[in-house]
Amino acid sequence: MVDNLNLVCPSCEAVNRVPAARLSDRPTCGKCKRPLFEGHPVALSDHNFDRYLTRGDLPLVVDFWAPWCGPCKMMAPAYEQAAARIEPRARLGKVDTEQNPMLAQRYGIRSIPTLVIFRGGRQIVSQPGAMGLPQLLQWIETYL
């Protein structure tokens, strides 16, 4: 196992180096002192997406969604719960495709919601369509 992992702070976006064995010890950011894991998906945008993708060492699970999308709204509570259960083994994030259409285009998002898992800066799998919490957890666990 890797000794240290780089984690992007969800509050100030500073990159923190954390011993892998201490991930479950509620690590805090060295810069802003806020928790590195808050049990909520991180709001990702054109501004910060690449920082999480390339600077963070954890797998990144991204929900591409839009505010007007009914299935996206239905899946939102399950995705929120998944973040609380999956962290610190992965970072969950959400991309509003209305506000960030270039990210949706970059990853070929044709329907929403679409979930994408990235590891090592590369897309490893995507899944269109809404899922309930059990299916969502099972799908994420399959690729961690």
Side-chain angles (χ1 to χ4, degrees), residues 46 64 95-108:
D46 293 328
F64 287 88
V95 172
D96 179 343
T97 58
E98 290 290 302
Q99 297 295 317
N100 304 282
M102 296 303 289
L103 281 173
Q105 181 180 12
R106 178 174 159 186
Y107 292 103

Side-chain angles (χ1 to χ4, degrees), residues 19-110:
R22 309 245 7 231
L23 285 180
S24 60
D25 294 343
R26 298 183 178 190
T28 57
C29 177
K31 183 176 178 184
C32 72
K33 309 302 182 208
R34 303 275 318 255
L36 291 175
F37 298 105
E38 297 177 327
H40 305 287
V42 176
L44 299 172
S45 66
D46 293 328
H47 168 74
N48 66 1
F49 186 86
D50 285 332
R51 186 164 189 85
Y52 282 91
L53 183 67
T54 62
R55 300 291 306 272
D57 290 331
L58 293 177
L60 179 63
V61 182
V62 180
D63 174 18
F64 287 88
W65 69 285
W68 51 263
C69 168
C72 298
K73 290 179 183 179
M74 288 177 26
M75 188 176 79
Y79 196 72
E80 182 83 16
Q81 292 172 26
R85 293 187 187 189
I86 295 294
E87 288 182 348
R89 295 177 292 136
R91 173 77 69 196
L92 275 69
K94 293 178 72 81
V95 172
D96 179 343
T97 58
E98 290 290 302
Q99 297 295 317
N100 304 282
M102 296 303 289
L103 281 173
Q105 181 180 12
R106 178 174 159 186
Y107 292 103
I109 305 301
R110 304 275 184 251

Side-chain angles (χ1 to χ4, degrees), residues 6-17 29-32 36 51-52 55 91:
N6 289 324
L7 303 175
V8 179
C9 176
S11 298
C12 72
E13 297 178 1
V15 178
N16 293 264
R17 196 158 186 80
C29 177
K31 183 176 178 184
C32 72
L36 291 175
R51 186 164 189 85
Y52 282 91
R55 300 291 306 272
R91 173 77 69 196

